[in-house]
Amino acid sequence: MADANDRLIEEIMNHLDKEVTGGSVRMSVEMDETQEEHALVSHKCCKVYGKDSTRVVGELDMYSDLYLNDMKRRGEL
């Protein structure tokens, strides 16, 4: 069992290293003790500020687009 946990932790750390290399700044990890296949990673469960991370990224993109468009309209860009 200890070997399986060590492998799982190593897989998680490798995954987090790849995400950081790709530009992620902050992440959380949720472990499901009942999941039989430890190697499965579901991005659906990735959370940022309590919401799905893909939703938060989309909202941030939308807000930045609105802000930039407003700046362009006022001649600040």
Side-chain angles (χ1 to χ4, degrees):
M1 186 67 165
D3 288 338
N5 286 337
D6 288 344
R7 281 196 313 270
L8 177 60
I9 290 170
E10 186 175 331
E11 288 177 23
I12 290 170
M13 294 305 295
N14 287 335
H15 179 75
L16 292 176
D17 285 343
K18 288 176 187 174
E19 292 292 325
V20 169
T21 301
S24 294
V25 179
R26 182 177 175 174
M27 293 174 286
S28 63
V29 176
E30 294 179 11
M31 295 180 66
D32 182 357
E33 297 285 334
T34 62
Q35 182 174 330
E36 290 183 23
E37 294 186 46
H38 292 290
L40 294 178
V41 175
S42 171
H43 291 278
K44 293 179 183 178
C45 68
C46 294
K47 302 284 185 190
V48 177
Y49 303 114
K51 298 180 183 178
D52 291 340
S53 58
T54 52
R55 178 179 171 187
V56 172
V57 169
E59 289 175 358
L60 290 173
D61 284 345
M62 179 188 68
Y63 293 138
S64 63
D65 289 346
L66 290 172
Y67 178 72
L68 290 173
N69 286 335
D70 190 45
M71 288 181 70
K72 285 179 186 175
R73 205 171 330 124
R74 293 185 308 218
E76 297 175 12
L77 281 179

